Amino acid sequence: MSSWCQFSTTISVVDHESRITLRLPSDLHAWLVAQAKAAHRSLNSEIVHRLEGERTAAQADAESP
């Protein structure tokens, strides 16, 4: 059985912040922490960076024929 980690994070979007509670499997949390450390970012910044990249890719996919 996988254990889960729960934490709160603040996401900044153009002078607007939304606070959310996010539940992640512990192994995913540990991986994100390691990725953030390797990129010299906070965990929050790493999550925002990855989500923004996914949003950009999704928008590009939606615009392509």
Side-chain angles (χ1 to χ4, degrees):
M1 177 171 30
S2 175
S3 58
W4 288 77
C5 177
Q6 181 176 334
F7 63 97
S8 294
T9 186
T10 301
I11 300 174
S12 298
V13 182
V14 189
D15 297 332
H16 178 77
E17 292 183 346
S18 296
R19 185 170 294 261
I20 63 169
T21 298
L22 178 63
R23 286 180 236 200
L24 296 172
S26 294
D27 60 335
L28 180 56
H29 178 261
W31 180 80
L32 282 167
V33 168
Q35 296 299 302
K37 186 175 181 179
H40 304 286
R41 288 191 274 262
S42 68
L43 178 57
N44 186 78
S45 293
E46 183 67 19
I47 292 168
V48 170
H49 172 76
R50 289 174 178 275
L51 289 172
E52 286 177 341
E54 288 297 316
R55 179 177 61 183
T56 300
Q59 288 171 339
D61 286 346
E63 294 172 0
S64 67

